[in-house]
Amino acid sequence: MLNANAILPSWIAWLIIAGFSCLWVALGWWLGRKNDTLDDYMLAGRKVGVGLAVATSMATWVTSNTTMTAPQLAYQLGIWGMVGYSLGAVGLILFAPIARRVRNLMPEGYTSGDFIRLRYGVTAWRIFLIISLFYSFGWLISLGMAGGLLINALSGISYFYGMTVIVTICTLYTVFGGLKAVIGTDFVQTILILIGITVLAILVIDAVGFEEIHNTLSEQRPELLNLLLPASIMFLFNNLFFGVGEIFHSNVWWSRAFAFAPGVGFRAYVLAGIFWLPVPVVAGFIALAAPALGINVPSPDMVAPLVAGKLFGIFGAILVFVVVFSALASSLDSVLAATSDLIVKDIYKGHFRKNASGNELRKAAVWIILGLGALTWAFSLPRIATLGALLHFTGAFVASTIWPIAIGIFYRRGSGRLASLAMVLGTASGLYAYFTIGFYVAALVSATVSMLVMMLAFKEKATFDWAILSENRNSK
Amino acid sequence: MITSTGLSLLVYPALLLAAITPVVLIYLVWQDVRENKLW
């Protein structure tokens, strides 16, 4: 199972894993030691300041995909690949006004499910929960599998050990410290990721230079420099809608909107979007140096580590390993915590234990995080490629939620029946497009159909009473 | 077709922004700690 092409000796990789694992778990325990209430555990006390708020939003959106797929896309789709990927930042920026509004309208809200239930009623809530949990599960498995595959590819450590370690560590510190542990470790991970990719890019420019990179590309891979590549432009727009759909519906981002102190959400999401924007461009640029270095790339997703290893030997390999390990952990912990919140509040309390106390819910949250960690591990274990691609498949589902959320939060028009119809028809048409045209239009079609349905809301009377959203405090 | 200058005009600003972000983040957190608004 050892990988002959690994760029890092496995004993060094184990040392890095052990060091960071101890750091994350200790930090998680230390940050969580003063957690008293359910709000402390699930929402970090609802008073997160702007510094940590920006860092956690950014780090969560910098996944293993950003650091590995952006270079792959640059290598396969060229300039539009990495620019298209960086448009993922638009989702963060567009979520800023939503974050501000939900914090004001629902001062005691917990999850995105809370909003859908209070705004659109039980049927839309259940459709939304199916979409959201399916997406969360797809994201968890894709991260678990990416952990095993990347650690194996970089260091030769077996898939089983790599995947087991990353899932176990993230589950442990999330259980110990709740959202505070997630946000605290996110801050450190953001700094590590940014320093890592910046140093690598500067070293690439210093060692190879723009002229040489450009000359080799125009000789060997001129299509990568083409700005009128139709498939890439289609990818760009689809990626934009997929990203907006992911952020608008996922409790990962809603739980942060509830956790940030009043007045922080808008600034935090705008800044996080701006700071996230250059990450795929810088990571993608590293890959464009591959042809100039004469590197033989056996699989495109390994292009960034190969460049780092070829140019800077063991130092480059360590840098890439730290960046990837941090990117994986900063997303996996967030998805674990936010999915557990959704299950605790919307499934456990919402459907089975309606009168559960805060103390009972806090205990339930611990077991649910442990259960989600175990489930992620079990589904990542068989290494089924189609499961790894599950996240891709969810584009059709999540894009259907964009317009019901956007209209539902800013307008008093739009009924639960209409929102349910928009999500069902959007998802169905997105899936049809996925299978008949291709993955790169699924989110686009889904969002368009869902939008057309939601436009009917403007023919309805404005009847919704905003006060209903804050009534959550009475039913807590 | 993007030129060599075009490529550098895309990458350099991105690199500059990525490089100053850790400094800005540490500054923002330090401000929050000073004003007792970290969390």
Short mmCIF file of all heavy atoms in Angstrom, two decimals, chain A residues 34-84:
data_model
loop_
_atom_site.label_atom_id
_atom_site.label_comp_id
_atom_site.label_asym_id
_atom_site.label_seq_id
_atom_site.Cartn_x
_atom_site.Cartn_y
_atom_site.Cartn_z
N LYS A 34 -14.40 26.13 29.59
CA LYS A 34 -15.34 27.01 30.28
C LYS A 34 -16.74 26.94 29.67
O LYS A 34 -17.58 27.78 29.95
CB LYS A 34 -14.84 28.45 30.23
CG LYS A 34 -13.67 28.70 31.18
CD LYS A 34 -13.26 30.15 31.17
CE LYS A 34 -12.09 30.38 32.12
NZ LYS A 34 -11.49 31.71 31.92
N ASN A 35 -16.97 25.97 28.80
CA ASN A 35 -18.30 25.82 28.20
C ASN A 35 -19.30 25.37 29.26
O ASN A 35 -19.17 24.29 29.82
CB ASN A 35 -18.28 24.77 27.08
CG ASN A 35 -17.72 25.33 25.79
OD1 ASN A 35 -17.65 26.54 25.62
ND2 ASN A 35 -17.32 24.46 24.88
N ASP A 36 -20.30 26.22 29.55
CA ASP A 36 -21.30 25.84 30.55
C ASP A 36 -22.62 25.43 29.90
O ASP A 36 -23.17 24.38 30.18
CB ASP A 36 -21.60 27.04 31.47
CG ASP A 36 -20.54 27.15 32.54
OD1 ASP A 36 -19.93 26.10 32.83
OD2 ASP A 36 -20.33 28.25 33.05
N THR A 37 -23.11 26.30 29.01
CA THR A 37 -24.46 26.11 28.49
C THR A 37 -24.44 25.52 27.09
O THR A 37 -23.39 25.39 26.47
CB THR A 37 -25.18 27.47 28.41
OG1 THR A 37 -24.46 28.26 27.45
CG2 THR A 37 -25.17 28.19 29.75
N LEU A 38 -25.64 25.20 26.60
CA LEU A 38 -25.78 24.70 25.23
C LEU A 38 -25.30 25.76 24.23
O LEU A 38 -24.64 25.44 23.24
CB LEU A 38 -27.25 24.36 24.95
CG LEU A 38 -27.54 23.73 23.58
CD1 LEU A 38 -26.92 22.34 23.49
CD2 LEU A 38 -29.04 23.64 23.33
N ASP A 39 -25.60 27.04 24.51
CA ASP A 39 -25.15 28.12 23.64
C ASP A 39 -23.62 28.20 23.59
O ASP A 39 -23.04 28.49 22.54
CB ASP A 39 -25.70 29.48 24.12
CG ASP A 39 -27.13 29.70 23.62
OD1 ASP A 39 -27.74 28.71 23.16
OD2 ASP A 39 -27.62 30.83 23.70
N ASP A 40 -22.97 27.97 24.74
CA ASP A 40 -21.50 27.97 24.76
C ASP A 40 -20.96 26.87 23.86
O ASP A 40 -20.03 27.07 23.09
CB ASP A 40 -20.98 27.70 26.19
CG ASP A 40 -21.15 28.92 27.08
OD1 ASP A 40 -21.31 30.02 26.54
OD2 ASP A 40 -21.13 28.75 28.31
N TYR A 41 -21.57 25.69 23.99
CA TYR A 41 -21.04 24.52 23.29
C TYR A 41 -21.35 24.57 21.79
O TYR A 41 -20.47 24.35 20.96
CB TYR A 41 -21.65 23.25 23.90
CG TYR A 41 -20.99 21.97 23.45
CD1 TYR A 41 -19.71 21.65 23.89
CD2 TYR A 41 -21.64 21.10 22.59
CE1 TYR A 41 -19.09 20.47 23.48
CE2 TYR A 41 -21.04 19.92 22.18
CZ TYR A 41 -19.76 19.61 22.63
OH TYR A 41 -19.16 18.45 22.21
N MET A 42 -22.61 24.90 21.45
CA MET A 42 -23.01 24.86 20.04
C MET A 42 -22.67 26.14 19.29
O MET A 42 -22.42 26.10 18.09
CB MET A 42 -24.52 24.60 19.93
CG MET A 42 -24.87 23.12 20.06
SD MET A 42 -26.65 22.79 20.14
CE MET A 42 -27.22 23.31 18.56
N LEU A 43 -22.69 27.28 19.99
CA LEU A 43 -22.53 28.56 19.28
C LEU A 43 -21.46 29.45 19.90
O LEU A 43 -21.48 30.67 19.72
CB LEU A 43 -23.87 29.30 19.23
CG LEU A 43 -24.98 28.59 18.43
CD1 LEU A 43 -26.31 29.29 18.60
CD2 LEU A 43 -24.62 28.50 16.95
N ALA A 44 -20.52 28.84 20.64
CA ALA A 44 -19.38 29.59 21.20
C ALA A 44 -19.83 30.81 22.00
O ALA A 44 -19.14 31.83 22.03
CB ALA A 44 -18.40 29.99 20.09
N GLY A 45 -21.04 30.72 22.62
CA GLY A 45 -21.51 31.81 23.47
C GLY A 45 -22.16 32.97 22.73
O GLY A 45 -22.51 33.97 23.34
N ARG A 46 -22.28 32.88 21.39
CA ARG A 46 -22.90 33.93 20.55
C ARG A 46 -22.20 35.28 20.64
O ARG A 46 -22.84 36.31 20.47
CB ARG A 46 -24.38 34.13 20.92
CG ARG A 46 -25.28 32.94 20.69
CD ARG A 46 -26.73 33.32 21.00
NE ARG A 46 -27.59 32.15 21.10
CZ ARG A 46 -28.30 31.65 20.10
NH1 ARG A 46 -28.25 32.20 18.93
NH2 ARG A 46 -29.07 30.60 20.28
N LYS A 47 -20.89 35.29 20.96
CA LYS A 47 -20.21 36.59 21.10
C LYS A 47 -18.86 36.60 20.38
O LYS A 47 -17.94 37.28 20.80
CB LYS A 47 -19.99 36.90 22.58
CG LYS A 47 -21.27 37.29 23.33
CD LYS A 47 -20.97 37.70 24.75
CE LYS A 47 -20.29 36.57 25.51
NZ LYS A 47 -20.15 36.79 26.94
N VAL A 48 -18.72 35.82 19.31
CA VAL A 48 -17.43 35.71 18.63
C VAL A 48 -17.06 37.05 17.98
O VAL A 48 -17.87 37.64 17.26
CB VAL A 48 -17.46 34.59 17.57
CG1 VAL A 48 -16.14 34.52 16.82
CG2 VAL A 48 -17.79 33.26 18.22
N GLY A 49 -15.84 37.54 18.25
CA GLY A 49 -15.39 38.83 17.72
C GLY A 49 -14.98 38.73 16.26
O GLY A 49 -14.90 37.64 15.68
N VAL A 50 -14.70 39.88 15.65
CA VAL A 50 -14.51 39.93 14.19
C VAL A 50 -13.25 39.19 13.73
O VAL A 50 -13.24 38.56 12.67
CB VAL A 50 -14.54 41.40 13.69
CG1 VAL A 50 -13.29 42.15 14.06
CG2 VAL A 50 -14.76 41.45 12.19
N GLY A 51 -12.18 39.22 14.53
CA GLY A 51 -10.93 38.56 14.12
C GLY A 51 -11.11 37.07 13.94
O GLY A 51 -10.79 36.50 12.88
N LEU A 52 -11.64 36.41 14.96
CA LEU A 52 -11.84 34.96 14.87
C LEU A 52 -12.95 34.64 13.87
O LEU A 52 -12.92 33.60 13.22
CB LEU A 52 -12.19 34.38 16.25
CG LEU A 52 -11.04 34.37 17.26
CD1 LEU A 52 -11.53 33.88 18.62
CD2 LEU A 52 -9.88 33.51 16.78
N ALA A 53 -13.93 35.55 13.74
CA ALA A 53 -15.04 35.31 12.82
C ALA A 53 -14.55 35.26 11.37
O ALA A 53 -14.93 34.38 10.60
CB ALA A 53 -16.09 36.41 12.98
N VAL A 54 -13.67 36.19 11.01
CA VAL A 54 -13.12 36.20 9.64
C VAL A 54 -12.30 34.93 9.42
O VAL A 54 -12.44 34.25 8.40
CB VAL A 54 -12.23 37.44 9.40
CG1 VAL A 54 -11.56 37.37 8.04
CG2 VAL A 54 -13.06 38.71 9.50
N ALA A 55 -11.44 34.61 10.39
CA ALA A 55 -10.54 33.46 10.22
C ALA A 55 -11.32 32.15 10.08
O ALA A 55 -11.00 31.32 9.23
CB ALA A 55 -9.58 33.37 11.40
N THR A 56 -12.37 31.97 10.89
CA THR A 56 -13.09 30.69 10.84
C THR A 56 -13.89 30.57 9.54
O THR A 56 -13.97 29.49 8.95
CB THR A 56 -13.99 30.48 12.07
OG1 THR A 56 -14.54 29.17 12.00
CG2 THR A 56 -15.14 31.46 12.15
N SER A 57 -14.46 31.69 9.05
CA SER A 57 -15.21 31.62 7.80
C SER A 57 -14.27 31.29 6.65
O SER A 57 -14.59 30.50 5.76
CB SER A 57 -15.90 32.96 7.51
OG SER A 57 -16.67 33.34 8.61
N MET A 58 -13.10 31.91 6.68
CA MET A 58 -12.13 31.68 5.62
C MET A 58 -11.59 30.25 5.64
O MET A 58 -11.55 29.56 4.62
CB MET A 58 -10.98 32.64 5.84
CG MET A 58 -10.52 33.29 4.61
SD MET A 58 -9.01 34.12 4.99
CE MET A 58 -7.96 33.13 3.98
N ALA A 59 -11.19 29.81 6.83
CA ALA A 59 -10.54 28.50 6.95
C ALA A 59 -11.50 27.38 6.57
O ALA A 59 -11.10 26.41 5.92
CB ALA A 59 -10.06 28.28 8.38
N THR A 60 -12.76 27.53 6.94
CA THR A 60 -13.72 26.47 6.64
C THR A 60 -13.93 26.35 5.14
O THR A 60 -14.10 25.26 4.61
CB THR A 60 -15.05 26.77 7.35
OG1 THR A 60 -14.79 26.88 8.74
CG2 THR A 60 -16.07 25.69 7.12
N TRP A 61 -13.87 27.49 4.45
CA TRP A 61 -14.08 27.49 2.99
C TRP A 61 -12.81 27.10 2.24
O TRP A 61 -12.85 26.81 1.06
CB TRP A 61 -14.60 28.87 2.57
CG TRP A 61 -15.43 28.93 1.32
CD1 TRP A 61 -15.38 29.92 0.39
CD2 TRP A 61 -16.44 28.03 0.85
NE1 TRP A 61 -16.30 29.68 -0.61
CE2 TRP A 61 -16.95 28.52 -0.36
CE3 TRP A 61 -16.95 26.82 1.34
CZ2 TRP A 61 -17.96 27.88 -1.10
CZ3 TRP A 61 -17.95 26.17 0.61
CH2 TRP A 61 -18.44 26.71 -0.58
N VAL A 62 -11.65 27.16 2.92
CA VAL A 62 -10.42 26.62 2.32
C VAL A 62 -10.36 25.14 2.69
O VAL A 62 -9.93 24.78 3.76
CB VAL A 62 -9.14 27.32 2.86
CG1 VAL A 62 -7.89 26.67 2.30
CG2 VAL A 62 -9.15 28.79 2.49
N THR A 63 -10.86 24.29 1.80
CA THR A 63 -10.87 22.86 2.11
C THR A 63 -9.69 22.21 1.39
O THR A 63 -8.92 22.88 0.71
CB THR A 63 -12.15 22.19 1.61
OG1 THR A 63 -12.12 22.21 0.19
CG2 THR A 63 -13.38 22.92 2.08
N SER A 64 -9.59 20.90 1.56
CA SER A 64 -8.56 20.18 0.82
C SER A 64 -8.79 20.38 -0.67
O SER A 64 -7.87 20.34 -1.47
CB SER A 64 -8.61 18.70 1.17
OG SER A 64 -9.92 18.22 0.98
N ASN A 65 -10.07 20.62 -1.05
CA ASN A 65 -10.36 20.88 -2.46
C ASN A 65 -9.67 22.14 -2.95
O ASN A 65 -9.17 22.20 -4.06
CB ASN A 65 -11.87 21.08 -2.65
CG ASN A 65 -12.57 19.76 -2.84
OD1 ASN A 65 -11.92 18.77 -3.12
ND2 ASN A 65 -13.86 19.75 -2.69
N THR A 66 -9.67 23.19 -2.11
CA THR A 66 -9.10 24.47 -2.54
C THR A 66 -7.61 24.33 -2.79
O THR A 66 -7.08 24.85 -3.77
CB THR A 66 -9.31 25.54 -1.46
OG1 THR A 66 -10.57 25.35 -0.87
CG2 THR A 66 -9.21 26.93 -2.03
N THR A 67 -6.95 23.62 -1.88
CA THR A 67 -5.49 23.54 -2.00
C THR A 67 -5.05 22.49 -3.01
O THR A 67 -3.95 22.55 -3.51
CB THR A 67 -4.86 23.24 -0.63
OG1 THR A 67 -5.57 22.14 -0.04
CG2 THR A 67 -4.96 24.43 0.29
N MET A 68 -5.94 21.51 -3.32
CA MET A 68 -5.54 20.46 -4.25
C MET A 68 -6.28 20.56 -5.59
O MET A 68 -5.72 20.31 -6.64
CB MET A 68 -5.78 19.08 -3.64
CG MET A 68 -5.03 18.84 -2.36
SD MET A 68 -3.24 18.98 -2.54
CE MET A 68 -2.87 17.36 -3.15
N THR A 69 -7.58 20.91 -5.54
CA THR A 69 -8.36 20.94 -6.79
C THR A 69 -8.08 22.20 -7.59
O THR A 69 -8.09 22.15 -8.82
CB THR A 69 -9.86 20.84 -6.48
OG1 THR A 69 -10.06 19.75 -5.59
CG2 THR A 69 -10.67 20.60 -7.73
N ALA A 70 -7.83 23.33 -6.91
CA ALA A 70 -7.54 24.56 -7.66
C ALA A 70 -6.30 24.38 -8.55
O ALA A 70 -6.33 24.73 -9.73
CB ALA A 70 -7.39 25.75 -6.72
N PRO A 71 -5.20 23.81 -8.01
CA PRO A 71 -4.06 23.53 -8.89
C PRO A 71 -4.43 22.54 -10.01
O PRO A 71 -4.01 22.71 -11.16
CB PRO A 71 -3.02 22.90 -7.96
CG PRO A 71 -3.38 23.38 -6.61
CD PRO A 71 -4.87 23.54 -6.60
N GLN A 72 -5.25 21.54 -9.67
CA GLN A 72 -5.66 20.56 -10.69
C GLN A 72 -6.44 21.24 -11.81
O GLN A 72 -6.22 20.98 -12.99
CB GLN A 72 -6.52 19.48 -10.02
CG GLN A 72 -7.11 18.48 -11.00
CD GLN A 72 -8.05 17.50 -10.31
OE1 GLN A 72 -8.08 17.43 -9.09
NE2 GLN A 72 -8.80 16.77 -11.09
N LEU A 73 -7.36 22.15 -11.42
CA LEU A 73 -8.17 22.84 -12.42
C LEU A 73 -7.32 23.79 -13.25
O LEU A 73 -7.55 23.94 -14.45
CB LEU A 73 -9.29 23.62 -11.73
CG LEU A 73 -10.42 22.75 -11.17
CD1 LEU A 73 -11.33 23.57 -10.29
CD2 LEU A 73 -11.20 22.11 -12.30
N ALA A 74 -6.34 24.43 -12.60
CA ALA A 74 -5.44 25.31 -13.35
C ALA A 74 -4.69 24.48 -14.40
O ALA A 74 -4.49 24.92 -15.53
CB ALA A 74 -4.46 25.98 -12.41
N TYR A 75 -4.34 23.27 -14.02
CA TYR A 75 -3.56 22.40 -14.90
C TYR A 75 -4.43 21.83 -16.02
O TYR A 75 -3.95 21.52 -17.10
CB TYR A 75 -2.95 21.27 -14.07
CG TYR A 75 -1.92 20.47 -14.80
CD1 TYR A 75 -0.66 21.01 -15.07
CD2 TYR A 75 -2.18 19.18 -15.23
CE1 TYR A 75 0.29 20.28 -15.75
CE2 TYR A 75 -1.24 18.44 -15.90
CZ TYR A 75 0.00 19.00 -16.17
OH TYR A 75 0.94 18.29 -16.84
N GLN A 76 -5.75 21.67 -15.74
CA GLN A 76 -6.64 21.07 -16.73
C GLN A 76 -7.42 22.12 -17.54
O GLN A 76 -7.63 21.96 -18.73
CB GLN A 76 -7.64 20.13 -16.05
CG GLN A 76 -6.98 18.88 -15.50
CD GLN A 76 -7.95 18.01 -14.73
OE1 GLN A 76 -8.76 18.52 -13.97
NE2 GLN A 76 -7.87 16.71 -14.92
N LEU A 77 -7.88 23.19 -16.85
CA LEU A 77 -8.72 24.18 -17.52
C LEU A 77 -8.02 25.53 -17.69
O LEU A 77 -8.60 26.47 -18.23
CB LEU A 77 -10.02 24.40 -16.73
CG LEU A 77 -10.95 23.20 -16.58
CD1 LEU A 77 -12.13 23.53 -15.67
CD2 LEU A 77 -11.48 22.74 -17.93
N GLY A 78 -6.79 25.63 -17.17
CA GLY A 78 -6.03 26.85 -17.38
C GLY A 78 -6.46 28.00 -16.49
O GLY A 78 -6.98 27.80 -15.40
N ILE A 79 -6.26 29.21 -17.01
CA ILE A 79 -6.52 30.43 -16.24
C ILE A 79 -7.95 30.47 -15.71
O ILE A 79 -8.19 30.78 -14.55
CB ILE A 79 -6.27 31.67 -17.14
CG1 ILE A 79 -4.83 31.71 -17.62
CG2 ILE A 79 -6.64 32.96 -16.41
CD1 ILE A 79 -3.80 31.90 -16.53
N TRP A 80 -8.93 30.10 -16.57
CA TRP A 80 -10.33 30.15 -16.13
C TRP A 80 -10.60 29.15 -15.02
O TRP A 80 -11.50 29.33 -14.22
CB TRP A 80 -11.28 29.88 -17.29
CG TRP A 80 -11.57 31.08 -18.13
CD1 TRP A 80 -11.49 31.15 -19.49
CD2 TRP A 80 -11.99 32.38 -17.70
NE1 TRP A 80 -11.82 32.41 -19.92
CE2 TRP A 80 -12.12 33.19 -18.84
CE3 TRP A 80 -12.24 32.95 -16.44
CZ2 TRP A 80 -12.52 34.52 -18.78
CZ3 TRP A 80 -12.63 34.28 -16.38
CH2 TRP A 80 -12.76 35.04 -17.53
N GLY A 81 -9.83 28.05 -15.01
CA GLY A 81 -10.02 27.04 -13.96
C GLY A 81 -9.77 27.64 -12.59
O GLY A 81 -10.59 27.52 -11.69
N MET A 82 -8.63 28.33 -12.45
CA MET A 82 -8.32 28.86 -11.12
C MET A 82 -9.12 30.12 -10.81
O MET A 82 -9.53 30.34 -9.67
CB MET A 82 -6.82 29.08 -10.92
CG MET A 82 -6.15 30.03 -11.85
SD MET A 82 -4.36 29.89 -11.64
CE MET A 82 -3.80 31.41 -12.38
N VAL A 83 -9.39 30.95 -11.83
CA VAL A 83 -10.21 32.15 -11.59
C VAL A 83 -11.65 31.72 -11.26
O VAL A 83 -12.28 32.25 -10.34
CB VAL A 83 -10.19 33.10 -12.80
CG1 VAL A 83 -11.19 34.22 -12.64
CG2 VAL A 83 -8.79 33.67 -12.98
N GLY A 84 -12.15 30.72 -12.01
CA GLY A 84 -13.49 30.20 -11.75
C GLY A 84 -13.60 29.65 -10.35
O GLY A 84 -14.59 29.88 -9.65
#
